[in-house]
Amino acid sequence: MIKSVVFCSLITSAYAFVSETFYNCGGHIGWNLNRPSLSLSAVSKLSTLPDGISVYEKSDAKYLDIQADFRSRAQLALEKATADGQKLCEFEFPPLLGGDKSKTQFDDFDNVQELDKNKDWAVLFAASLLGTKGSKRFEDGKLWLVFPDLKECELAKAEWAGQRFRATTFTTIEAVTNFLSSEAYDAPWGSSLVSGLSKLMGGDDGDAGLLGDQSSLDKLENGRNAPSELALIVQPGNGGPVEDWVNTEKIFDASPSTQMVIVNGALDKLRGGYYPAVFFPKLAKSVDRFFTRFESIFYLKPISDKGVYGWLYRVYPEPWQVVLQTAVEKKGRLEVVNEVVYSSDERPDYNFAVAKLLTSSTANQ
């Protein structure tokens, strides 16, 4: 029996390693100057790529606040999606682009760096929503920042201490699931052991804080800040426990009137079958029931193959774009040209988007 468990564990780990390797091979970066291949009338309705994201001119990104540009575009997309009644929304973008420590898909980075950037992005995005025309609905803390774990919530609370940031409710997936759902919180493997140890070490003083400071959680209270108008779920599951995704569904099911936006939650992995149902049956059912319903309202993902680079891009309610990026020399200076090589109301899959890039790149040679 033990051998069988070990064997399954090894197979699962090997599958995850191979899947992760191939999953991460697709992403690279770009910049801004449009040369449309579609009709002018069609292209005029499409948002151009953000500045400074080119793989050919990485140095530009270090002098630009690219993430602020992303937040601005995401905010406009969210306003339109909200007006259209979209309850389940997704933001997907490269969180490490921009600033003096800008990193692309080619650079080395770890999950902690990614989680840190997503945390900061979400806090700033929430603060920007509070200053908008429709922000009255977020009064009394009805805009929730839902972090994947207590430590991230603690860090966010400590690093963003200004009054405008505290106007939102800081909480976690576990706290919200326990507060809202009649179903039990799905705890990651080993978390109960660490939690018990933390309480034991704390003695009469309470929890020792091995998993984070409990006092960093804002109190959830029906009739005051609950139910929320908008819940921003920050990087659930991606680089963390798969139970985050399962609990996210429980949160929405318990409060379906609340609009939910997942920030860089790697929903492509779920929709693309990255986690096989034979090893993750509960998650597979959740994907079929729940995660296939999400609308990608701000989506910017690098795609590449055989030395050809581009992006899969969408800003709601616009169509999807496949954008080819090429570098041309003009008067001794390198310029990056963005060419929209495909556009559709239906989201193209990754292989199709890459094929469009390769075909268009060959035609331009």
Side-chain angles (χ1 to χ4, degrees):
M1 178 65 180
I2 294 175
K3 289 182 178 179
S4 298
V5 172
V6 173
F7 177 76
C8 287
S9 177
L10 289 172
I11 292 295
T12 304
S13 299
Y15 179 91
F17 173 78
V18 173
S19 298
E20 185 70 31
T21 301
F22 283 99
Y23 179 83
N24 285 329
C25 282
H28 311 305
I29 314 303
W31 197 57
N32 193 3
L33 192 81
N34 281 320
R35 187 179 73 198
S37 64
L38 305 178
S39 68
L40 290 177
S41 60
V43 172
S44 65
K45 299 176 183 178
L46 300 176
S47 296
T48 59
L49 286 179
D51 289 338
I53 63 172
S54 173
V55 69
Y56 298 106
E57 293 187 351
K58 292 169 59 177
S59 59
D60 285 5
K62 297 183 182 295
Y63 303 99
L64 296 172
D65 192 348
I66 294 173
Q67 298 302 319
D69 189 358
F70 289 175
R71 285 191 292 272
S72 177
R73 294 166 188 250
Q75 182 175 321
L76 290 174
L78 179 59
E79 288 174 1
K80 293 175 181 177
T82 302
D84 287 345
Q86 297 286 353
K87 287 292 186 182
L88 296 172
C89 304
E90 171 196 18
F91 295 157
E92 182 75 28
F93 56 89
L96 300 175
L97 277 179
D100 59 355
K101 295 182 180 179
S102 179
K103 292 188 177 184
T104 72
Q105 300 299 107
F106 292 114
D107 299 314
D108 291 331
F109 60 88
D110 57 38
N111 183 62
V112 174
Q113 292 173 303
E114 200 170 27
L115 188 54
D116 247 10
K117 291 295 186 180
N118 284 325
K119 171 197 67 188
D120 294 344
W121 193 97
V123 171
L124 288 168
F125 182 74
S128 70
L129 291 180
L130 294 174
T132 61
K133 184 179 179 181
S135 63
K136 187 173 178 61
R137 69 189 183 110
F138 301 134
E139 289 180 354
D140 300 319
K142 290 189 176 180
L143 171 53
W144 290 4
L145 281 164
V146 185
F147 297 98
D149 58 55
L150 187 57
K151 181 56 71 176
E152 284 303 308
C153 184
E154 178 187 343
L155 290 172
K157 220 34 175 331
E159 293 167 4
W160 300 97
Q163 185 176 354
R164 72 188 185 106
F165 304 118
R166 295 299 175 83
T168 59
T169 294
F170 285 65
T171 186
T172 64
I173 290 174
E174 180 177 5
V176 175
T177 305
N178 287 334
F179 176 76
L180 290 176
S181 182
S182 58
E183 296 184 58
Y185 169 73
D186 271 48
W189 184 90
S191 63
S192 297
L193 177 63
V194 177
S195 178
L197 180 62
S198 185
K199 291 175 182 176
L200 182 63
M201 290 174 62
D204 293 338
D205 295 328
D207 198 305
L210 295 182
L211 296 176
D213 184 358
Q214 292 284 342
S215 67
S216 65
L217 290 170
D218 288 331
K219 184 179 180 181
L220 304 178
E221 186 178 340
N222 280 316
R224 186 177 64 85
N225 61 356
S228 68
E229 286 288 327
L230 172 63
L232 294 173
I233 315 292
V234 184
Q235 196 179 324
N238 186 21
V242 298
E243 287 83 4
D244 282 356
W245 286 306
V246 175
N247 289 313
T248 297
E249 181 186 12
K250 292 181 180 181
I251 289 171
F252 184 77
D253 286 348
S255 184
S257 63
T258 295
Q259 187 178 30
M260 176 179 284
V261 176
I262 290 181
V263 179
N264 279 339
L267 300 192
D268 283 347
K269 284 185 176 182
L270 302 183
R271 292 181 292 237
Y274 177 83
Y275 296 94
V278 65
F279 297 125
F280 305 95
K282 184 177 286 189
L283 179 60
K285 292 177 182 177
S286 182
V287 171
D288 291 341
R289 279 192 312 258
F290 183 61
F291 288 102
T292 54
R293 296 160 54 193
F294 275 77
E295 184 79 21
S296 301
I297 63 172
F298 176 67
Y299 188 99
L300 181 67
K301 186 164 188 172
I303 51 178
S304 70
D305 192 28
K306 300 177 182 177
V308 177
Y309 307 100
W311 296 85
L312 181 58
Y313 182 42
R314 191 205 185 195
V315 180
Y316 184 92
E318 299 171 11
W320 288 85
Q321 306 178 51
V322 176
V323 185
L324 170 68
Q325 296 200 304
T326 53
V328 296
E329 189 174 344
K330 291 185 179 180
K331 298 179 180 180
R333 182 177 179 273
L334 192 69
E335 287 188 356
V336 178
V337 178
N338 293 336
E339 180 181 355
V340 181
V341 298
Y342 180 78
S343 178
S344 171
D345 290 333
E346 297 296 321
R347 173 182 176 154
D349 65 32
Y350 181 84
N351 291 334
F352 181 89
V354 169
K356 285 294 181 182
L357 288 187
L358 294 174
T359 301
S360 298
S361 176
T362 302
N364 289 343
Q365 292 176 354

